[in-house]
C-alpha cells in the first residue's frame, strides 16, 4: 500500500508500519562535524573538504527555512549534485511534520533554533582521540529523548555529518562488528580501502584491536567515533523506552545501533532503521548484513525513484551518488505514513522537483 520496501525483518517491519499509520511524528536532525571528513577522498559532502564544516548547518537551514543562510545556494557534491536535505525538506513540508535540530558538535552554527547537547567537533579519528565528552553528550541526549517522547507518537531521527560512514566503520570495527567493505558512500565509487586504512590508523593510534570495545560503546565512540553517534544513540535510548523510533539513515545507523544495543538492548523492540532504496540497492555496501549482525530490528526503505526526473541533478541519485543523508528516507516514509499513503513516491518527486527548480536550477 505504501511506497516502502521491507528490506529486513519483514514481520516486525509490517507490525511497525501498521502501528504508525496516521500517527504524529517529530523529525529530529542531529548535526555535527568531524575533522575526518577533511581527509582527501573521504566525503562528497561539499565542493571541497574545507566546506564540510558548513554542510550540516546549511542542511538544517534548508529544512527549517527552505533556503540556506550560512552558505550561498545549497550544499552540493563536487559534481554539483544537491544535498539529500532537499528530499527531506520536501517530505516534511508536504506532510506538515514538525522538525527539531540537535547540535552534537559544530564549528559553524546554523541560523535556526537548535537544541545544544554541549558536544564539540570531532577530531580526525587517526589520532585515536576522536571525542572528549561522549558520555556527557549521550546522557544529555537521553534526557532530551525522554522528554520529546512525551510530546509525539514516534520519532524519526536523521543526521548530517560529512565523513560519517568512515567513523561508522571505525566504531563498528572497534565494537567487533565485521564491517569492512560494508559501509556505504555518498560517491558512486565507494573508497573502501581509504576508509579501512583510516579506521585502522585510528585503532592503532589508540593501541587497540578490532573488537576491544565490544562492551564499551563510550570508549568506542570516544576513540574513533564522531559527535553524532553518542547524541543519536542517547536520543534513541531516551525515547524508545516509551515510543517507536525510526533511525533515519544509511550504514551510519548500524554504528549507532551497536552503541544503543551495548548500552540498553531492551529498547531495541521499539527501534527500526529507515533508509532509501538507493542504500538497499547499493552493491558496494551491506546495510541489512550489518544490522543483522547487530540486532534483530526491521530495516525499511522509502522506494524513491528519480529515474524519470526532468533534472539531471536528481537523476544522478539513480547512478549511486549521495543515496541517503539528513534522514531523507525516514522523512519520506513518515510523510507517507502520516497521510495514510496519500503522499506517494510520485507526489514526493513532484514536490522535490519543484523545490529543486527554485533552489538549484533556477532556469
Amino acid at each position: 500500500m505504501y511506497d516502502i520496501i521491507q528490506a529486513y525483518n519483514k514481520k516486525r517491519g509490517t507490525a511497525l508500519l501498521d502501528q504508525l499509520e496516521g500517527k504524529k511524528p517529530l523529525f529530529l536532525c542531529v548535526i555535527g562535524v568531524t575533522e575526518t571528513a577533511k581527509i582527501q577522498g573521504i566525503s562528497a559532502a561539499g565542493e571541497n573538504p574545507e566546506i564540510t564544516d558548513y554542510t550540516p548547518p546549511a542542511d538544517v537551514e534548508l529544512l527549517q527555512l527552505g533556503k540556506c543562510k550560512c552558505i550561498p545556494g545549497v550544499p552540493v557534491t563536487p559534481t554539483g549534485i544537491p544535498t539529500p536535505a532537499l528530499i527531506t525538506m520536501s517530505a516534511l513540508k508536504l506532510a506538515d511534520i514538525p522538525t527539531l535540530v540537535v547540535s552534537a558538535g559544530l564549528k559553524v552554527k546554523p541560523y535556526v533554533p537548535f537544541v545544544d547537547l554541549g558536544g564539540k567537533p570531532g577530531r580526525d579519528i587517526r589520532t585515536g582521540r576522536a571525542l572528549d565528552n561522549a558520555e556527557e553528550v549521550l546522557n544529555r541526549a537521553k534526557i532530551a529523548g525522554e522528554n520529546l517522547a512525551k510530546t509525539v507518537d514516534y520519532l524519526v531521527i536523521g543526521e548530517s555529518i560529512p565523513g560519517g560512514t568512515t567513523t561508522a566503520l571505525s566504531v563498528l570495527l572497534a565494537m567487533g562488528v565485521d564491517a569492512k567493505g560494508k559501509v556505504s558512500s555518498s560517491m558512486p565509487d565507494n573508497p573502501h580501502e581509504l576508509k579501512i586504512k583510516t579506521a585502522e590508523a585510528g585503532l592503532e593510534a589508540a593501541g587497540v584491536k578490532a573488537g576491544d570495545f565490544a562492551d564499551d560503546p563510550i570508549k568506542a565512540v570516544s576513540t574513533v567515533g564522531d559527535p553524532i553517534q553518542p547524541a543519536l544513540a542517547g536520543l534513541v535510548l531516551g525515547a524508545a523506552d516509551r515510543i517507536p523510533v525510526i533511525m533515519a539513515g544509511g550504514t551510519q545507523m548500524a554504528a549507532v545501533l551497536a552503541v544503543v544495543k551495548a548500552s540498553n538492548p531492551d529498547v531495541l523492540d521499539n527501534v527500526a532503521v529507515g533508509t532509501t532504496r538507493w542504500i538497499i540497492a547499493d552493491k558496494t555496501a551491506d546495510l541489512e548484513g550489518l544490522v543483522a549482525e547487530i540486532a534483530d530490528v526491521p530495516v525499511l526503505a522509502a522506494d524513491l525513484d528519480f529515474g524519470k526526473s526532468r533534472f539531471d541533478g536528481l537523476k544522478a541519485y539513480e547512478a549511486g551518488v549521495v543515496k541517503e543523508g539528513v534522514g531523507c528516507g525516514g522523512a519520506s516514509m513518515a510523510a507517507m505514513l502520516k497521510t495514510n499513503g496519500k503522499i506517494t513516491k510520485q507526489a514526493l518527486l513532484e514536490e522535490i522537483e519543484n523545490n529543486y527548480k527554485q533552489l538549484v536550477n533556477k532556469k
Side-chain angles (χ1 to χ4, degrees):
M1 163 175 157
Y2 295 104
D3 291 324
I4 295 174
I5 298 163
Q6 304 254 13
Y8 178 70
N9 199 333
K10 191 170 179 185
K11 190 177 169 196
R12 275 188 57 196
T14 304
L16 181 72
L17 292 176
D18 290 346
Q19 185 188 347
L20 300 185
E21 203 171 15
K23 296 284 201 306
K24 283 192 175 148
L26 168 65
F27 180 81
L28 299 178
C29 191
V30 183
I31 55 174
V33 292
T34 163
E35 288 296 301
T36 313
K38 292 177 184 169
I39 299 169
Q40 202 63 44
I42 285 267
S43 175
E47 287 179 85
N48 61 59
E50 293 310 311
I51 207 159
T52 55
D53 288 339
Y54 289 85
T55 304
D59 278 339
V60 292
E61 288 170 356
L62 193 59
L63 297 189
Q64 298 269 26
L65 305 170
K67 60 176 192 266
C68 303
K69 286 188 85 166
C70 68
I71 61 166
V74 300
V76 293
T77 69
T79 52
I81 311 307
T83 169
L86 187 68
I87 301 170
T88 313
M89 174 190 102
S90 303
L92 298 172
K93 196 165 129 189
L94 212 50
D96 199 23
I97 293 171
T99 307
L100 189 62
V101 176
V102 178
S103 164
L106 296 169
K107 288 197 171 173
V108 178
K109 291 184 169 55
Y111 287 89
V112 293
F114 59 93
V115 174
D116 190 344
L117 297 174
K120 299 179 180 71
R123 293 188 195 93
D124 186 327
I125 58 170
R126 293 174 301 185
T127 60
R129 296 182 304 111
L131 303 177
D132 286 333
N133 59 342
E135 190 163 19
E136 191 185 329
V137 168
L138 184 135
N139 289 332
R140 286 179 182 176
K142 204 171 162 187
I143 296 166
E146 283 164 6
N147 282 288
L148 291 169
K150 296 171 187 173
T151 65
V152 286
D153 297 322
Y154 67 104
L155 292 183
V156 180
I157 313 178
E159 54 65 41
S160 174
I161 182 160
T165 55
T166 304
T167 47
L169 169 67
S170 49
V171 165
L172 288 165
L173 294 177
M175 295 187 72
V177 177
D178 174 19
K180 284 183 185 176
K182 293 180 185 176
V183 296
S184 54
S185 167
S186 48
M187 298 173 270
D189 300 322
N190 195 335
H192 281 305
E193 280 177 29
L194 176 60
K195 292 180 181 188
I196 292 165
K197 199 173 100 182
T198 304
E200 286 178 341
L203 293 172
E204 195 181 328
V208 295
K209 295 188 300 294
D212 277 2
F213 297 143
D215 302 316
D216 196 341
I218 295 295
K219 264 287 180 38
V221 296
S222 299
T223 306
V224 288
D226 68 46
I228 70 125
Q229 292 162 344
L232 217 147
L235 289 164
V236 174
L237 288 162
D241 242 0
R242 182 183 285 258
I243 58 169
V245 176
I246 294 176
M247 293 165 55
T251 47
Q252 281 162 274
M253 292 302 159
V256 179
L257 191 64
V259 172
V260 170
K261 186 191 178 184
S263 306
N264 179 9
D266 294 346
V267 302
L268 293 173
D269 291 344
N270 242 349
V271 170
V273 175
T275 191
T276 63
R277 177 180 65 81
W278 302 304
I279 290 282
I280 300 305
D282 183 5
K283 297 275 187 287
T284 74
D286 185 10
L287 175 61
E288 302 100 304
L290 287 172
V291 169
E293 201 183 328
I294 299 160
D296 201 21
V297 303
V299 178
L300 304 161
D303 189 16
L304 300 170
D305 189 338
F306 292 171
K308 294 193 171 78
S309 173
R310 57 186 203 269
F311 298 112
D312 290 341
L314 294 175
K315 266 193 191 145
Y317 274 71
E318 297 300 326
V321 180
V322 184
K323 302 181 194 71
E324 170 61 273
V326 201
C328 68
S332 298
M333 287 194 287
M336 294 171 192
L337 289 163
K338 187 188 173 196
T339 59
N340 293 316
K342 286 191 186 74
I343 291 176
T344 59
K345 64 180 180 183
Q346 186 53 40
L348 276 169
L349 177 60
E350 285 164 21
E351 178 72 16
I352 292 160
E353 288 191 321
N354 288 339
N355 292 324
Y356 180 89
K357 191 175 171 188
Q358 283 171 2
L359 289 159
V360 185
N361 192 342
K362 295 193 170 104
K363 294 176 189 118

